[in-house]
Amino acid sequence: MAEHGNGAAVHGSGQRPRIIVGVDGSEASVAALRVARAMAEPLSAPVEAWACWDVPAGYGVYLAVGIEGFKYAADQVLQQTLADAFGEVPSFVHPRLVRGRPGPALIDASRNASLLIVGRRGHGNFVPGSVSSACVSHAYCPVLVVHAPEAGAKADAGAAHSTAAP
C-alpha cells in the first residue's frame, strides 16, 4: 500500500490492508469484530483487536500497589470479547493490549491502518460515544462505526448497522 497524503494506506501497492478494531467488551465491539472479519477475509487482511488500558487518575496510590491488575483486567476483557465474537479466534485476528487512553491510541494507530473499526457506545439514539467521535474526527484512515445489534436481531456481520466516515 502506498501512503496517501493523510498517511492512510492506499490499495494497489502490493501490501495487504491492515484493519484495527477497538475492543472494550461491549456488544458494539463484538459486532465490530464480526464486521472486521467479514471485511478482512476476502481481502486476506490482518485484523488487530486493540484493547486499551491505563492507570486511573491519582495513579500514585496505584504505583505503590501495582498496575498489573489494570493490564490483566483489560486482557480478560479482550479475550472474552474475542470469544464472544468468534468462539475460536481466526488466525488472521491478532489481539493486542495497548497502554493508553483508547481515543488517542486508536487515532495514532490509524496512521498505519487501512481501516479503523470501532463500536458505537453513545448516549441515547443520536449521540455517539467519545471514543468513536474522536476517531471519526481525527483518524488518519477511514473509520467504520458499528452499532450493537438491536435486541432480538441477528448478531452476524450482515445484521450490524454501521456508519462509515472517510
Side-chain angles (χ1 to χ4, degrees):
M1 272 172 263
E3 290 287 320
H4 201 274
N6 64 0
V10 177
H11 299 290
S13 69
Q15 291 182 343
R16 295 185 308 173
R18 176 177 172 232
I19 299 172
I20 296 175
V21 182
V23 174
D24 63 6
S26 67
E27 286 297 316
S29 69
V30 170
L33 283 166
R34 290 178 178 151
V35 169
R37 178 184 194 170
M39 296 178 81
E41 283 179 321
L43 298 171
S44 298
V47 173
E48 292 182 17
W50 282 42
C52 300
W53 68 279
D54 208 353
V55 177
Y59 67 92
V61 172
Y62 296 107
L63 290 178
V65 176
I67 61 173
E68 287 304 308
F70 299 110
K71 183 178 180 181
Y72 176 78
D75 186 47
Q76 294 300 105
V77 167
L78 177 59
Q79 297 306 321
Q80 185 61 55
T81 306
L82 289 166
D84 291 347
F86 306 122
E88 186 174 330
V89 179
S91 63
F92 59 87
V93 175
H94 309 286
R96 184 159 180 211
L97 283 174
V98 178
R99 184 170 177 187
R101 293 186 357 248
L106 292 169
I107 290 166
D108 189 50
S110 74
R111 293 176 185 271
N112 298 308
S114 301
L115 179 64
L116 174 61
I117 302 177
V118 293
R120 180 190 174 278
R121 287 188 57 181
H123 310 286
N125 291 330
F126 300 106
V127 181
S130 60
V131 172
S132 59
S133 292
C135 290
V136 166
S137 297
H138 302 289
Y140 296 89
C141 68
V143 176
L144 179 65
V145 179
V146 178
H147 300 247
E150 294 182 22
K154 266 177 77 175
D156 66 6
H161 300 289
S162 57
T163 306

